[in-house]
Amino acid sequence: METKREIRKRILSVRDALPTEKRVRSELLMTKKILEHQWYGGAKIILIFVKHGSEIDTNQIIEDSFHQNKKVYIPKIINDTMVFIRVYQGELLTEGYKGILEPQEKDLSEVFCYENENPHEILMIMPGVAFDPYRNRIGYGKGFYDRYLSDKENLHTIAIGFDCQIVSMIESDRNDIKPNQVICF
């Protein structure tokens, strides 16, 4: 069985090589699927990543969230910990951890606080490198999402990607948190 590191390296290479036509088609299908999803429709708060490198593009989901007057929060790494900071339409993001676009630091009132919200009105859309049919997920190796979700059992989570990111099996450990759903096109 492949190690997580071997799967990560192989899948990133395959994802990086996706033809533009396949990438655009998958992103359109993914956007449609998320915008029609009941969790998205019922969410007042969207926690969502911004595309980095060859990840699937979330820009249209973010724009629709603003149009639907949902609160949008983007991850930011601060002192090796991931937090979500509220962003507003038209706001400029800056390069942060590993060159990933993230919000600028703001006062703490703009940091998402799970304890103050109804978990059924929140949807997290998360990235990943690889997924298996059992909802196991491999990220980029730092465990940011696993640590963030470790105490948020009722949060609706959907991991998204391209169908080339599906592998037959990922060995998981006790710290790995499975998303509620994995959707790949």
Side-chain angles (χ1 to χ4, degrees):
M1 176 180 236
E2 280 182 297
T3 66
K4 286 184 178 182
R5 174 176 269 141
E6 291 167 337
I7 293 170
R8 187 178 294 112
K9 183 178 179 183
R10 179 173 61 84
I11 296 301
L12 284 173
S13 176
V14 171
R15 190 180 77 185
D16 289 346
L18 271 178
T20 302
E21 182 179 304
K22 163 67 175 156
R23 180 175 301 283
V24 169
R25 183 178 183 280
S26 295
E27 289 169 348
L28 287 171
L29 290 171
M30 178 61 66
T31 298
K32 183 178 186 321
K33 181 79 170 181
I34 294 296
L35 297 185
E36 293 174 349
H37 198 287
Q38 68 181 17
W39 289 348
Y40 178 80
K44 293 181 179 177
I45 296 170
I46 304 296
L47 309 177
I48 189 168
F49 69 99
V50 175
K51 173 192 171 182
H52 180 70
S54 62
E55 287 178 334
I56 197 156
D57 194 340
T58 57
N59 211 26
Q60 293 301 315
I61 299 168
I62 293 169
E63 287 301 317
D64 187 79
S65 297
F66 289 134
H67 182 72
Q68 300 292 329
N69 294 315
K70 298 176 188 288
K71 294 180 182 176
V72 176
Y73 292 80
I74 305 289
K76 180 176 184 66
I77 305 305
I78 301 173
N79 299 325
D80 209 35
T81 300
M82 184 173 70
V83 297
F84 283 82
I85 296 180
R86 186 164 182 195
V87 295
Y88 298 88
Q89 191 163 20
E91 184 173 333
L92 292 178
L93 303 176
T94 58
E95 280 191 20
Y97 177 81
K98 300 247 181 184
I100 298 169
L101 292 177
E102 56 184 33
Q104 297 177 26
E105 281 196 51
K106 301 177 181 180
D107 64 64
L108 293 178
S109 68
E110 297 290 345
V111 175
F112 176 72
C113 183
Y114 177 75
E115 293 76 20
N116 296 342
E117 304 295 342
N118 177 346
H120 300 293
E121 295 178 346
I122 306 164
L123 173 60
M124 175 186 280
I125 299 173
M126 58 197 296
V129 173
F131 314 100
D132 74 10
Y134 311 101
R135 293 183 291 115
N136 292 307
R137 170 188 169 275
I138 293 176
Y140 293 92
K142 289 292 229 169
F144 289 124
Y145 280 88
D146 294 321
R147 285 181 293 174
Y148 187 83
L149 291 169
S150 66
D151 62 350
K152 297 170 181 69
E153 292 179 20
N154 296 318
L155 185 67
H156 292 306
T157 56
I158 302 175
I160 62 173
F162 298 103
D163 56 12
C164 67
Q165 294 176 248
I166 301 288
V167 298
S168 59
M169 187 174 166
I170 295 170
E171 193 170 322
S172 65
D173 63 45
R174 62 182 177 86
N175 295 323
D176 291 339
I177 305 292
K178 294 181 181 186
N180 299 123
Q181 293 183 11
V182 174
I183 303 174
C184 294
F185 281 100

